[in-house]
Amino acid sequence: MGNVGTNWAGNYEFRAAEVRTPESVQQLQELVSTSPRIRALGTRHSFNDLADSAGTLVSLVDREPEPRLDTERMTVTVAAGTRYGVLASWLNARGFALHNMGSLPHISVAGAVATGTHGSGNALGSLATAVSGLQVVTGEGHLLEVDRTHPQFAGMVVSLGALGIVTRVTLDIQPTFNVRQDVYTDLLWDVALAEFEAITSSAYSVSLFTDWRGDSIQSAWFKTRLSAGEPGSMPPTMFGATASTTETSLAEGENNTTLQGGIPGPWSERLPHFRLDSTPSNGDEIQTEYFVDRRQAPDALAAVRAIGHSITPHLLITELRTAAADDLWLSQATGRPSLAIHFTWKNEPEAVARLAPQIQAALAPFDARPHWGKWNTMTATDIAPLYPKLPEFVVLVERMDPQHRFRNAYLERVLGLAD
């Protein structure tokens, strides 16, 4: 074991020997070009060994964000290690917005993008779909700047850190907007399965939370985008579920969620589930997540419900979210509109190790793709058939990292890339 410590949740201990924090891009280039094995370490929110290295880890999280607005192109360029919540607050204060946010505003921009992390919304792509440019240090220490005009750009965005160390990211922006967040309780499963597309398309962003017990989904969170100056309104019931009159917490004993109750507020303070100034989620947990074609959502959810009795005793909560299809080579939503079935587990590694293969087997008929940064037992044999562009990505990896500096055990196991 190295001296790097653990990931955010404490379920993974890094093996790397050290963490370096270069003070400039030039220092980073020199470090990359002289290191046999090196990887970028973000905010440590992955639940597996994706970010680890047999050599050195590099952290850019404490670098100044140095955001640069381009109001003509409607983009913002920011340091790779910047946390989404920090960037969101900065943008909103200047009258701009991102198209979406993940549940946690604490995650770094580059780390979230590289793993295909997402928010929710039938018409909204993952966070990576907003990327219009990248600055990256390649395996030979060269500084490469690319944008959407590059013929392999779609393969460079969700990259799992295999192509290099990203130093700056350019994101599409839009004028700021307000959102209201309303929580409804006791949505019947029969209704959810029969009306899934209608439910998930009934707001800008919709999330469903369940523990797989009983006949009802515990809560449905509707995040409604508002017209300028309008408070908006929501009915007392939605699809038979009842509007909650109290704040709903996602972590027992924690008051850490963004404001509910239909009170309008800036997108930056409503689209995430958790506040930037709080402990995200539960903390003492393990997470897994699988993406299926949203057009198969009712059947896929029924398949998981069939083993729900085994899941529930070890689960904190499951969240169901959606994402629009995209063309990014390794995006979990590439080529198909997607449903993400997310499990936040109690910190019970043996139980999770036993249950994950059962869930994967239940979802195998739906070609389920795992979240790259969440714990699972799928290997290259399982994953390769799910990504039509994977062979092209392997060629791109070899070209950008010919000396295999960014390889690690994760890439060998998951993509079949030799370390």
Side-chain angles (χ1 to χ4, degrees), residues 39 50 114-115 157-162 330 372 393 410-411 414-415:
R39 297 274 290 173
L50 181 152
T115 55
V157 181
V158 182
S159 67
L160 313 184
L330 293 192
W372 298 113
F393 182 76
Y410 174 94
L411 294 175
V414 173
L415 298 185

Side-chain angles (χ1 to χ4, degrees), residues 198-216:
I199 292 169
T200 55
S201 64
S202 60
Y204 188 73
S205 171
V206 176
S207 294
L208 307 179
F209 292 91
T210 181
D211 62 8
W212 304 99
R213 286 189 293 189
D215 297 326
S216 298

Side-chain angles (χ1 to χ4, degrees), residues 184-188 191 199 236-243:
Y184 289 75
T185 58
D186 297 324
L187 171 66
L188 288 174
V191 175
I199 292 169
T237 62
M238 287 281 286
F239 299 94
T242 305

Side-chain angles (χ1 to χ4, degrees), residues 279-353:
T279 300
S281 192
N282 179 276
D284 187 21
E285 64 193 59
I286 302 172
Q287 294 183 14
T288 63
E289 186 172 37
Y290 304 93
F291 295 68
V292 298
D293 191 317
R294 197 168 74 234
R295 292 163 293 195
Q296 296 180 296
D299 290 339
L301 291 170
V304 179
R305 282 192 77 202
I307 57 173
H309 60 283
S310 298
I311 294 171
T312 298
H314 309 286
L315 186 73
L316 291 171
I317 199 69
T318 279
E319 181 178 8
L320 308 175
R321 290 181 287 173
T322 61
D326 61 55
D327 63 354
L328 303 177
W329 294 1
L330 293 192
S331 166
Q332 296 92 330
T334 190
R336 66 189 194 190
S338 295
L339 161 67
I341 307 173
H342 181 275
F343 302 85
T344 301
W345 303 100
K346 299 173 184 177
N347 194 352
E348 300 175 355
E350 292 183 4
V352 176

